[in-house]
């Protein structure tokens, strides 16, 4: 989806360490609206932890199992299954606060240092790698975040000690209380996992294996939470953004008939959005667009509403109106790369000279803000090719294959680009980066 995306690849600098070693992949969900909602929930907690809110990323993995973990010093990853199980903004903020505490307390930094000392490049790359990019719900190949070179290395990195867990519990509760979030919600989250440690590892949710959970820990946590009681009040804004994130996630991942039954009488903006997505997936585009018209009337200046409308229109082959919807979204959120990428894609679909010219400019802006989006790079390569710039088209194609770990193919396109572009030009230098990465990956094989 332009809205919800499953992504393939790693940052180019780390692809060379991981490409020959990746054992399995999972989908990283990218959605401008959901990521905005997660930022709204995380920002007050990050601020209380002394972490710049703008430096913290909270992203979703398309995985039904319940789990959350820190990937590096600024990235928290949460499984979609956990978000769909949670019942309040405070519960999701409890998960985020706990993981922020692992970052603020230096647990991840120490591990990264130890891995560097051990020259565990594959495991280090795994933890620090983020795929950012796109495939849509319209049948594009879904893809993912490389999640393992070896399952033992993954478990070793993610598994916190009980001392770390107790420390993160206490710190996370402090952040919640100071930010006005009910600390009792952290205990509610842990109740989801109660009793799982007695199960075989194959039946446990990953959270239990990576975050040691005991009755003693739950008792201690509830005691800490009681000490902070009375410092929190309900937050309607947080609940609203939680409802949008969970509602949109469920609308795209769950059965459309289920969504329509649950949202049938919900006349809120979230209910309209859920019905629009469900009708779109049925597919019943006219019904979807009727819901979008009501939603747009209720929230005329919401960029994510216009983005979703653009996606539905584009995937229904109504290209002209889709361009207009994406243009409105981009005007309202000019720095959002996922919206810019969708706008560029719609402009390309016009298949006109002017549309191609505008698409190239928009997609270059998108790349400047998020250079690790494979679908955007595919579209950018097409825009360059239509402009007659085959050298830059080959650069974008090379980078796209490199992000997917297909280093031999990436090298072929980078070699072609280097032969077409002026030596020392920005595009030529980007081609050299891909060639260097491919050479390093070849040596590791």
């Amino acid at each position: 989806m332009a809205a919800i995306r499953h992504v393939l690849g790693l940052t180019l600098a780390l692809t060379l360490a991981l490409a020959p070693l990746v054992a399995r992949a999972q989908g990283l969900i990218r959605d401008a609206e959901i990521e905005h909602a997660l930022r709204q929930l995380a920002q007050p907690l990050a601020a209380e932890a002394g972490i710049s809110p703008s430096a913290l990323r909270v992203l979703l993995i398309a995985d039904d199992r319940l789990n959350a973990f820190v990937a590096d010093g600024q990235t928290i990853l949460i499984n979609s299954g956990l978000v769909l199980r949670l019942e309040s903004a405070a519960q999701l903020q409890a998960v985020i606060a706990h993981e922020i505490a692992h970052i603020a307390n230096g647990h991840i930094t120490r591990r990264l240092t130890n891995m560097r000392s051990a020259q565990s490049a594959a495991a280090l790359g795994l933890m620090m790698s983020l795929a950012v990019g796109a495939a849509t719900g319209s049948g594009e190949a879904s893809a993912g975040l490389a999640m393992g070179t070896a399952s033992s290395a993954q478990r070793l990195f993610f598994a916190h000690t009980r001392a770390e867990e107790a420390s993160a519990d206490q710190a996370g509760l402090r952040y919640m209380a100071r930010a006005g979030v009910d600390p009792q919600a952290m205990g509610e989250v842990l109740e989801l996992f109660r009793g799982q440690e007695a199960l075989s590892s194959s039946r446990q949710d990953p959270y239990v294996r990576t975050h040691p959970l005991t009755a003693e820990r739950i008792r201690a946590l509830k005691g800490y939470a009681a000490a902070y009681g009375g410092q929190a009040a309900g937050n309607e804004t947080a609940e609203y953004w939680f409802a949008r994130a969970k509602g949109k996630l469920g609308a795209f991942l769950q059965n459309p008939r289920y969504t329509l039954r649950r949202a049938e009488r919900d006349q809120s903006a979230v209910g309209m959005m859920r019905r629009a997505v469900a009708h779109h997936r049925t597919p019943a585009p006219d019904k979807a667009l009727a819901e979008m018209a009501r939603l747009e009337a209720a929230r005329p200046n919401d960029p994510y509403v216009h983005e979703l409308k653009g996606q539905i229109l584009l995937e229904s082959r109504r290209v002209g109106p889709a361009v207009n919807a994406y243009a409105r979204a981009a005007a309202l959120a000019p720095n959002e790369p996922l919206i810019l990428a969708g706008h560029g894609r719609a402009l390309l679909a016009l298949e006109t000279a002017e549309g191609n010219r505008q698409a190239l400019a928009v997609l270059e802006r998108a790349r400047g803000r998020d250079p690790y989006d494979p679908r955007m790079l595919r579209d950018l390569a097409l825009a360059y090719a239509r402009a007659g710039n085959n050298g830059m088209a080959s650069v974008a194609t090379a980078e796209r294959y490199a992000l997917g770990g297909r280093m031999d193919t990436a090298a072929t396109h980078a070699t072609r680009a280097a032969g077409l572009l002026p030596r020392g030009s920005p595009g030529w230098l980007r081609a050299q980066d891909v060639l260097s990465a491919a050479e390093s990956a070849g040596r590791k094989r």
Side-chain angles (χ1 to χ4, degrees):
M1 324 160 212
I4 291 189
R5 308 165 179 228
H6 292 170
V7 191
L8 177 61
L10 306 170
T11 59
L12 181 56
L14 292 162
T15 297
L16 50 137
L18 284 176
L21 300 169
V22 171
R24 64 188 179 89
Q26 292 182 344
L28 182 65
I29 294 174
R30 297 300 307 277
D31 174 73
E33 179 177 358
I34 291 176
E35 290 181 16
H36 176 80
L38 294 175
R39 284 194 298 272
Q40 298 304 303
L41 297 176
Q43 282 176 354
L45 303 166
E48 293 298 337
I51 297 173
S52 171
S54 62
L56 183 70
R57 295 172 293 192
V58 184
L59 302 177
L60 295 181
I61 296 176
D63 193 323
D64 290 338
R65 297 173 299 174
L66 310 187
N67 201 12
F69 51 89
V70 176
D72 60 23
Q74 61 183 15
T75 307
I76 295 169
L77 297 174
I78 303 176
N79 282 13
S80 59
L82 180 56
V83 175
L84 292 175
R85 282 285 301 277
L86 299 178
E87 297 178 351
S88 70
Q91 289 181 356
L92 181 51
Q93 287 177 298
V95 173
I96 295 170
H98 183 91
E99 301 306 329
I100 285 176
H102 282 305
I103 295 173
N105 291 348
H107 301 159
I108 303 303
T109 301
R110 286 197 294 272
R111 253 171 249 197
L112 292 175
T113 300
N114 291 340
M115 286 187 176
R116 288 189 185 97
S117 300
Q119 296 181 341
S120 181
L124 174 62
L126 166 65
M127 298 316 116
M128 297 183 68
S129 295
L130 275 180
V132 282
T136 73
S138 58
E140 297 287 341
S142 87
L145 170 70
M147 289 301 299
T149 59
S151 59
S152 59
Q154 179 180 332
R155 288 195 301 271
L156 175 65
F157 185 90
F158 289 135
H160 297 289
T161 67
R162 292 182 179 179
E164 287 177 346
E165 286 303 292
S167 172
D169 285 344
Q170 294 181 53
L173 289 168
R174 286 198 305 272
Y175 306 152
M176 292 174 70
R178 292 172 184 170
V181 181
D182 185 2
Q184 302 288 344
M186 190 175 289
E188 294 168 4
V189 172
L190 293 191
E191 288 292 345
L192 289 174
F193 303 97
R194 178 183 285 276
Q196 285 205 14
E197 284 192 329
L199 301 176
S200 65
S201 61
S202 63
R203 296 176 59 198
Q204 293 173 350
D205 278 301
Y207 191 90
V208 176
R209 298 194 297 274
T210 58
H211 297 67
L213 180 65
T214 63
E216 290 79 9
R217 179 186 164 202
I218 293 177
R219 282 196 295 270
L221 185 148
K222 289 183 175 179
Y224 301 144
Y228 293 111
Q231 298 185 41
N235 187 322
E236 291 184 4
T237 299
E239 291 298 340
Y240 171 74
W241 284 110
F242 170 74
R244 282 186 70 161
K246 180 178 178 179
K248 191 171 192 179
L249 188 65
F252 270 111
L253 297 183
Q254 295 169 335
N255 188 296
R257 290 190 294 274
Y258 171 82
T259 299
L260 290 171
R261 286 197 303 271
R262 296 293 298 271
E264 182 180 6
R265 294 181 175 83
D266 184 354
Q267 297 307 310
S268 69
V270 173
M272 296 176 201
M273 176 269 293
R274 294 178 67 200
R275 288 193 297 274
V277 172
H279 285 309
H280 175 56
R281 294 180 61 213
T282 299
D286 289 339
K287 290 183 179 180
L289 291 170
E291 289 290 352
M292 290 305 304
R294 287 189 281 272
L295 180 55
E296 185 178 354
R299 298 188 63 82
N301 296 316
D302 189 324
Y304 308 110
V305 169
H306 294 283
E307 180 201 24
L308 179 57
K309 179 181 177 181
Q311 175 189 349
I312 292 171
L313 286 164
L314 185 60
E315 293 176 1
S316 301
R317 295 180 172 83
R318 305 179 193 191
V319 178
V323 169
N324 294 334
Y326 273 118
R328 177 63 175 156
L332 292 167
N335 297 323
E336 173 52 66
L338 298 179
I339 289 178
L340 291 173
H343 186 202
R345 189 169 307 118
L347 287 164
L348 285 175
L350 289 173
E351 297 188 349
T352 65
E354 179 60 19
N356 293 337
R357 185 191 66 78
Q358 292 182 32
L360 180 57
V362 170
L363 290 166
E364 285 182 329
R365 285 174 55 204
R367 187 197 177 279
R369 296 189 172 278
D370 181 356
Y372 306 114
D373 179 338
R375 192 172 187 206
M376 175 276 299
L377 289 171
R378 189 197 67 181
D379 293 333
L380 182 58
L382 177 59
Y384 278 129
R386 289 183 179 180
N389 192 340
N390 292 328
M392 289 304 297
S394 292
V395 170
T397 302
E399 290 174 336
R400 176 167 65 90
Y401 280 116
L403 289 173
R406 297 174 60 180
M407 301 308 295
D408 290 342
T409 305
T412 298
H413 288 279
T415 300
R416 181 180 302 138
L420 293 171
L421 296 168
R423 187 178 184 85
S425 66
W428 184 88
L429 293 173
R430 282 162 54 187
Q432 299 308 306
D433 289 341
V434 174
L435 289 170
S436 296
E439 182 180 355
S440 297
R443 286 199 300 267
K444 292 181 185 299
R445 285 200 298 269

